[in-house]
Amino acid sequence: MSNSAKVIAIVSQKGGSGKTTLAVNLATRAAQAKSESCVIDTDPQATAAAWGDWRGDFLPVVVTAPPARLARTIGSAAKNGVDFIVIDTPPHADAAAREAIKAADIVLIPTKPRAFDLHALEPIADLVSFAKKPAFVVLNSVPSGATVLTEEARSTAKEMGLKVCPVELGDRAAFHRSSAKGETAGEMDPDGKAAKEIEALWKWLRKTFKKQDK
């Protein structure tokens, strides 16, 4: 990671797409890699903030910020030495998504590989293309053996002009069970499939950042 903070925005118009789970798992993995990591929760429901309360005094730090204060919150986090920032956004909220995308180095768009969920990618595709930010769809809650489903989801996303992250996240109980305890899949079951998927996503993300820095 370079000296300046890396900012990842996690956006999706659809509720239940797994934004908060992705945010806290990635920020925690960054903390394990000795990054000063932080989640900025812009969702009025403050799900990530609740996870932070359950977690207690362990990294990542979770702070809440309304979209209008996002840039300022990122600035003060970076001043305090935070070098890895993940923004968690609410569904159905263009203003929050727009601000998060504007502030981000990379945008991740989690979606389940189903027609209704994929349909919700369109407004986000417009926002990222307008902002000219690198953005990747992350297929999430993928049922095991759903090869045809994921192939179709990938081509639907590509038709909208979106890139698709090569790492998929399965429909894993470990993601849900760990969140309820203020933990992550990797902490609860380090050898489990969910932990391995987050590890693969983390490695891919590091590589993608390195390419950007060149």
Side-chain angles (χ1 to χ4, degrees):
M1 302 279 171
S2 72
N3 296 334
S4 62
K6 294 292 184 196
V7 182
I8 297 165
I10 300 187
V11 296
S12 158
Q13 289 295 67
K14 195 101 174 64
S17 60
K19 288 190 292 287
T20 303
T21 303
L22 187 55
V24 300
N25 274 273
L26 277 178
T28 303
R29 182 62 190 84
Q32 289 162 347
K34 302 287 184 279
S35 276
E36 284 292 323
S37 64
C38 156
V39 177
I40 300 177
D41 190 350
T42 65
D43 188 343
Q45 287 187 350
T47 314
W51 176 87
D53 291 344
W54 299 330
R55 188 171 180 76
D57 295 329
F58 297 98
L59 281 172
V61 174
V62 183
V63 294
T64 53
R69 291 187 58 83
L70 183 58
R72 195 173 290 175
T73 307
I74 290 169
S76 71
K79 258 195 210 110
N80 288 325
V82 173
D83 59 2
F84 191 90
I85 296 170
V86 186
I87 309 166
D88 188 17
T89 59
H92 323 297
D94 277 358
R98 200 177 291 118
E99 288 304 317
I101 289 165
K102 199 161 56 174
D105 297 305
I106 285 181
V107 181
L108 297 183
I109 312 158
T111 182
K112 292 177 180 171
R114 295 191 306 228
F116 289 136
D117 297 79
L118 294 165
H119 178 67
L121 290 175
E122 277 190 49
I124 299 291
D126 292 342
L127 287 176
V128 292
S129 101
F130 180 74
K132 297 184 170 47
K133 289 292 168 100
F136 301 87
V137 171
V138 179
L139 294 177
N140 192 16
S141 295
V142 175
S144 59
T147 326
V148 176
L149 198 62
T150 57
E151 279 310 310
E152 285 172 358
R154 283 172 182 277
S155 55
T156 303
K158 281 173 187 160
E159 278 161 25
M160 292 179 197
L162 290 166
K163 291 178 179 164
V164 184
C165 170
V167 181
E168 294 171 6
L169 303 178
D171 191 6
R172 314 248 176 249
F175 285 125
H176 311 297
R177 289 212 318 272
S178 59
S179 294
K181 295 178 173 172
E183 293 178 358
T184 63
E187 291 168 322
M188 196 168 119
D189 182 7
D191 299 321
K193 285 179 177 167
K196 289 191 172 117
E197 287 165 354
I198 290 295
E199 188 58 32
L201 184 61
W202 167 249
K203 284 187 173 144
W204 169 81
L205 200 54
R206 298 258 319 234
K207 234 181 245 164
T208 309
F209 274 135
K210 276 202 183 105
K211 273 184 207 151
Q212 272 189 359
D213 288 340
K214 277 178 183 163

